[in-house]
Amino acid sequence: MIQEEPYDEIVPAKQDDGSPKTTYKRLEGIILRVAAIGFFSITQILTKNLYIHSPISPLELIYFRGITMLICNFIYSKWISLDLLDVPKEQMKPMFYRSMAGTVGNMLFFTSTKLFPLSLVSAMSYLSPMMTAGLSFLVLHESLTRYDVASMLSAFGGVILIIFNPYKSSDISKVYDIKWWYYLCPIFNPIFAAIGTLLMRYMGKSIHCVVAPTFLAVFIGTFTPVLTLGFLSVKDMATRYDATVVIHILFIGMMGTLGQVLTSRALQIEKAGRVQAFNYLMVVFMLAADMFIFGIPIHWLDLVGIAIILGANVAVALLKAFGIIGN
């Protein structure tokens, strides 16, 4: 639903005290989400690099990421004297569904990262912000302003330009030996991402922002060993856990933990559709990683797509900073 902002919510610049604290308060949700995207991008780059240099399977990597996340959150909870089991009774079902959606989403995402170029994995998640906005309207009755819709559609256009760039080959099957059913991983990943985001927004501030990622870590640590034993052969599990692999796993877990906690906090402050729209920034970061780290060339049209995505996200941040759009 496109909603015009009421005039009484518009705060002219001359009425604003202009203090950094006021500006930060308006942008807090967006700043936290952008920081989370940065940590998730580092996680994805490290994951791709580990896949290149190690035969580790996605299920193994997800398991160790979940365990690392659980340890980090446990240490932090002790530091701030937080009870990680402090979940209101009415929020237990949403927490269960969110943890399940997050576990499946992580499996799909890490499998996609192993098989496809980073930029394509990120770009194929372009449906997630749209689905989140739609579900937020239908379930949580959260509306979007015309500025949010314009920004989301513009960023969507930038992603489409990158995916369907007519001047470069997109037939990655010539480079990667990929069965047709693996293409379902990046297709279904945004569905579970949208469901997980919606449920986190639904739970809101009734739980601490560290609690939801902790429950997710417990579910990942519980279900991935079962799937590993059920679906992987001995050959698939022949990973040598040398120093390089262990360091990668630790940093992937820590960066992923920071990303999850910051996203959880951002969804307590900002609308789900607006938070998820900044997911498009991942495409920009991954294109840069493909080019400068993994040596995959990009076309000038990709740069145009990057400019559109960045411009759309910066526009929303500026409109929030000047009080033209509210929460």
Side-chain angles (χ1 to χ4, degrees):
M1 178 179 181
I2 304 175
Q3 174 180 304
E4 297 287 341
E5 285 288 341
Y7 288 107
D8 58 0
E9 290 188 12
I10 298 177
V11 181
K14 64 181 181 180
Q15 296 179 8
D16 190 353
D17 59 15
S19 67
K21 185 176 181 180
T22 301
T23 302
Y24 174 78
K25 209 64 183 172
R26 285 177 177 163
L27 293 174
E28 185 178 4
I30 291 175
I31 291 172
L32 292 174
R33 179 54 177 168
V34 172
I37 290 297
F39 287 121
F40 285 141
S41 297
I42 295 172
T43 297
Q44 202 169 350
I45 292 169
L46 290 172
T47 300
K48 189 67 175 182
N49 190 60
L50 181 59
Y51 282 148
I52 291 173
H53 298 97
S54 169
I56 191 169
S57 71
L59 289 177
E60 288 178 275
L61 185 53
I62 295 166
Y63 171 75
F64 285 114
R65 182 195 176 189
I67 295 299
T68 305
M69 187 188 305
L70 185 60
I71 294 171
C72 290
N73 286 344
F74 178 77
I75 294 173
Y76 180 72
S77 69
K78 290 300 181 183
W79 182 37
I80 64 173
S81 300
L82 171 68
D83 182 6
L84 291 173
L85 299 178
D86 184 20
V87 180
K89 185 177 180 181
E90 65 273 12
Q91 300 292 6
M92 288 304 297
K93 274 190 176 181
M95 181 68 76
F96 174 83
Y97 294 136
R98 188 268 162 179
S99 300
M100 285 300 299
T103 300
V104 176
N106 270 275
M107 292 178 183
L108 296 173
F109 186 76
F110 275 80
T111 302
S112 301
T113 301
K114 184 177 180 70
L115 299 174
F116 300 94
L118 288 179
S119 56
L120 185 63
V121 174
S122 298
M124 289 189 71
S125 299
Y126 67 89
L127 284 177
S128 179
M130 300 286 187
M131 295 181 63
T132 302
L135 288 173
S136 297
F137 167 68
L138 293 173
V139 179
L140 303 180
H141 307 295
E142 290 185 350
S143 59
L144 292 175
T145 70
R146 63 172 183 260
Y147 304 109
D148 291 309
V149 174
S151 172
M152 192 177 298
L153 291 176
S154 298
F156 176 79
V159 172
I160 292 296
L161 189 63
I162 293 171
I163 296 176
F164 298 106
N165 185 343
Y167 297 103
K168 69 175 184 180
S169 173
S170 59
D171 186 10
I172 60 172
S173 62
K174 295 179 180 178
V175 182
Y176 299 85
D177 182 20
I178 300 174
K179 305 298 183 182
W180 69 267
W181 54 83
Y182 284 119
Y183 284 91
L184 298 177
C185 292
I187 292 173
F188 279 97
N189 175 52
I191 297 175
F192 287 95
I195 294 172
T197 301
L198 180 74
L199 290 168
M200 281 198 292
R201 176 64 175 170
Y202 174 80
M203 289 184 287
K205 296 182 180 180
S206 61
I207 59 171
H208 194 279
C209 61
V210 175
V211 173
T214 302
F215 273 76
L216 172 62
V218 171
F219 271 68
I220 289 175
T222 301
F223 287 101
T224 49
V226 177
L227 292 172
T228 299
L229 293 173
F231 292 99
L232 294 184
S233 64
V234 174
K235 183 183 71 172
D236 293 326
M237 298 170 61
T239 304
R240 288 186 57 194
Y241 292 99
D242 55 23
T244 301
V245 173
V246 172
I247 290 172
H248 272 74
I249 288 173
L250 288 175
F251 273 96
I252 288 169
M254 288 187 290
M255 295 298 103
T257 300
L258 289 170
Q260 288 284 346
V261 171
L262 291 176
T263 298
S264 180
R265 177 57 182 160
L267 285 164
Q268 293 178 342
I269 302 169
E270 194 64 78
K271 291 180 178 179
R274 188 176 294 161
V275 167
Q276 198 68 352
F278 280 80
N279 221 37
Y280 291 127
L281 285 176
M282 185 83 78
V283 182
V284 177
F285 296 150
M286 293 305 99
L287 271 173
D290 276 346
M291 181 178 182
F292 295 109
I293 299 177
F294 301 108
I296 299 176
I298 65 174
H299 192 268
W300 66 267
L301 275 180
D302 296 327
L303 300 178
V304 175
I306 288 175
I308 293 172
I309 295 169
L310 286 176
N313 285 282
V314 169
V316 168
L318 289 175
L319 289 170
K320 281 280 292 184
F322 289 103
I324 297 176
I325 57 176
N327 287 332

